[in-house]
Amino acid sequence: MVSGKGRGERILVTGGAGFIGSHTVVELLRQGYKVWVMDNLQNSCVEALHRVCHLVGPRLSPNLQFHHGDLCNPADLDRLFNASSSFDAVIHFAGLKGVGDSVVNPLHYYHNNIVGTVNLFQAMAKFNCKKMVFSSSATVYGQPEEVPCAEESKLHAMNPYGRSKLFAEEMGRDIEKAGGEGEWRMIFLRYFNPVGAHESGKLGEDPRGIPNNLMPYIQQVAVGRLPHLNVYGHDYPTNDGTAVRDYIHVMDLAHGHVAALRKLFANDTIGCTAYNLGTGRGTSVLEMVAAFEKASGKKIPIKMCPRRPGDATAVYASTEKAEKELGWKAKYGIEEMCRDQWNWVSNNPWGYQGNH
Ligand SMILES: NC(=O)c1ccc[n+]([C@@H]2O[C@H](COP(=O)([O-])OP(=O)(O)OC[C@H]3O[C@@H](n4cnc5c(N)ncnc54)[C@H](O)[C@@H]3O)[C@@H](O)[C@H]2O)c1
Ligand SMILES: O=c1ccn([C@@H]2O[C@H](COP(=O)(O)OP(=O)(O)O[C@H]3O[C@H](CO)[C@@H](O)[C@H](O)[C@H]3O)[C@@H](O)[C@H]2O)c(=O)[nH]1
């Protein structure tokens, strides 16, 4: 069990204006860390960070600094590492995350996610900051041969996005191996399906364009921005024929990052290791729709459609390793995920920017 508050350690959070990043920054500030966010705002807006400051209040908000910068531009990283006299650790969220988009624009994904990560590793080496928590994904398990997915399961990427995550993990493993004993410490957090929102209703997911993922799509149907939900596949070998995933509340993820950071600071022999962040429970698409209807009091019209190419039948996490070694366990179930997601979207039907 790794516990205790941060002691003012200085954390660089790449992609900290985004969905998972902004929720995590709230928790980092509350736990006493000093946070520098670097984001190029290609999929986010600075209003999310204004709201973070509002949520943590005037005592803690001076501990957050925002730097508009692009990981693909090494000069931006140099400037930030120089200006801040380096960092104690990095949480690396920045990346593009659309599976379908990555199939259509593979070079764009490799450039942003791989070149960006190489540049970050180079800056970290140069400024002697060698602790990283990295946003990996359950996508590295591909179509899992068995569930629950355990960290030592076979890894297999199925699209350029997934490959960019797998390459980044492999790069990390190579860099750690090449360094001296205890020189680099890295934790790869493999998220399952992040959903929900901050319980205040002030922070949440605000995707650009038509959402690809289930919950952002449902939330837009609920507020009348989209007419109905397409349910992709109703002939899967599951209880109700729809595919099963391990949905996890974004605040549970935020706490998971704090636990990982504590582990990095506390354990000088950790080397490079991966943890699943999931609940260990599978929920079908129709169960998720029903839970959201209950939480919101809104009917979500659905249309049954063929399977989406590349989708697995059922994916859920083995959570033992994170529970045992990080002392972390997800607290929230799908009721709270849907409650908080509805609270966010009913207060912000058009996201952070109002009508866009
Ligand atoms: N949300 C999910 O379903 C999910 C699941 C598994 C893993 N992940 C990973 O977690 C991370 C965070 O995801 P999210 O849902 O918060 O996404 P997000 O798009 O909301 O946040 C990513 C942030 O990174 C920024 N960014 C992207 N490229 C950048 C660059 N080159 N330089 C600087 N900033 C850059 C974006 O502007 C955005 O603010 C991503 O790496 C994603 O691949 C997400
Ligand atoms: O409009 C929609 C969207 C999704 N689904 C279904 O809902 C389930 C969940 O889909 P989605 O929310 O897109 O998540 P995944 O396909 O499981 O992939 C997400 O979760 C992975 C594991 O974290 C990440 O790697 C991916 O980037 C992220 O998109 C799947 O069965 C989909 O077929 C629908 O039926 N209708």
Side-chain angles (χ1 to χ4, degrees):
M1 172 80 184
V2 190
S3 61
K5 280 213 161 198
R7 284 188 289 270
E9 286 101 342
R10 302 148 55 81
I11 315 298
L12 168 59
V13 180
T14 74
F19 170 45
I20 306 171
S22 56
H23 289 77
T24 302
V25 170
V26 171
E27 225 22 59
L28 291 172
L29 292 168
R30 290 208 165 130
Q31 294 300 319
Y33 295 99
K34 294 200 163 63
V35 176
W36 280 255
V37 164
M38 178 172 171
D39 201 302
N40 64 3
L41 303 179
Q42 64 177 313
N43 197 38
S44 54
C45 60
V46 88
E47 170 63 13
L49 295 177
H50 293 150
R51 294 191 184 191
V52 167
C53 287
H54 181 76
L55 282 172
V56 300
R59 191 174 61 82
L60 295 177
S61 56
N63 292 340
L64 172 62
Q65 295 209 34
F66 172 61
H67 288 258
H68 189 266
D70 190 336
L71 289 182
C72 294
N73 181 3
D76 287 354
L77 279 161
D78 250 35
R79 237 188 328 271
L80 176 56
F81 274 82
N82 264 319
S84 57
S85 317
S86 197
F87 299 100
D88 297 306
V90 174
I91 305 184
H92 180 28
F93 290 107
L96 296 169
K97 61 170 180 175
V99 171
D101 192 21
S102 80
V103 174
V104 179
N105 300 300
L107 257 183
H108 186 44
Y109 272 70
Y110 289 130
H111 181 71
N112 193 77
N113 293 5
I114 302 288
V115 174
T117 302
V118 169
N119 289 342
L120 179 62
F121 274 130
Q122 275 172 337
M124 291 174 70
K126 179 171 164 188
F127 290 90
N128 199 29
C129 163
K130 295 185 174 171
K131 297 183 188 69
M132 180 194 271
V133 177
F134 171 64
S135 295
S136 188
S137 166
T139 193
V140 298
Y141 297 118
Q143 291 262 13
E145 277 167 18
E146 53 179 9
V147 282
C149 305
E151 286 81 351
E152 61 278 9
S153 305
K154 211 159 79 194
L155 303 181
H156 171 65
M158 292 173 51
N159 49 63
Y161 165 70
R163 255 182 291 285
S164 78
K165 290 292 171 198
L166 198 47
F167 284 167
E169 283 201 10
E170 299 289 16
M171 257 194 291
R173 284 187 270 273
D174 287 339
I175 291 165
E176 191 271 330
K177 211 185 300 164
E181 175 94 26
E183 190 181 329
W184 285 86
R185 303 185 203 176
M186 293 184 216
I187 290 182
F188 307 136
L189 296 178
R190 296 180 182 153
Y191 316 149
F192 280 66
N193 289 58
V195 300
H198 193 266
E199 55 271 16
S200 64
K202 301 277 184 215
L203 297 177
E205 188 165 13
D206 180 20
R208 301 219 162 144
I210 305 228
N212 297 307
N213 299 117
L214 180 67
M215 290 308 281
Y217 204 103
I218 291 181
Q219 82 179 24
Q220 294 201 7
V221 173
V223 294
R225 288 174 65 175
L226 292 166
H228 63 265
L229 171 75
N230 296 313
V231 174
Y232 296 131
H234 47 96
D235 56 352
Y236 283 105
T238 60
N239 285 344
D240 60 21
T242 63
V244 165
R245 295 290 181 273
D246 185 342
Y247 297 93
I248 175 163
H249 196 295
V250 65
M251 287 313 294
D252 273 328
L253 279 187
H255 296 131
H257 286 77
V258 173
L261 210 49
R262 286 181 182 146
K263 180 85 177 174
L264 277 189
F265 286 123
N267 188 327
D268 59 7
T269 57
I270 188 156
C272 199
T273 191
Y275 294 102
N276 288 337
L277 294 187
T279 63
R281 285 185 297 274
T283 304
S284 74
V285 174
L286 291 182
E287 284 167 342
M288 218 50 194
V289 170
F292 193 87
E293 287 182 331
K294 190 166 171 219
S296 63
K298 298 269 177 193
K299 181 85 196 135
I300 305 295
I302 59 172
K303 195 169 149 196
M304 292 300 189
C305 300
R307 295 180 183 194
R308 196 169 63 172
D311 272 358
T313 301
V315 184
Y316 51 93
S318 157
T319 58
E320 259 170 57
K321 189 177 173 197
E323 280 174 34
K324 201 161 134 219
E325 297 183 18
L326 296 179
W328 170 90
K329 189 174 173 16
K331 282 194 303 209
Y332 299 114
I334 59 169
E335 291 75 20
E336 289 97 345
M337 299 177 209
C338 291
R339 175 197 68 197
D340 293 339
Q341 187 124 12
W342 172 241
N343 189 28
W344 154 249
V345 72
S346 54
N347 283 300
N348 306 270
W350 293 89
Y352 288 114
Q353 315 265 26
N355 273 9
H356 58 159

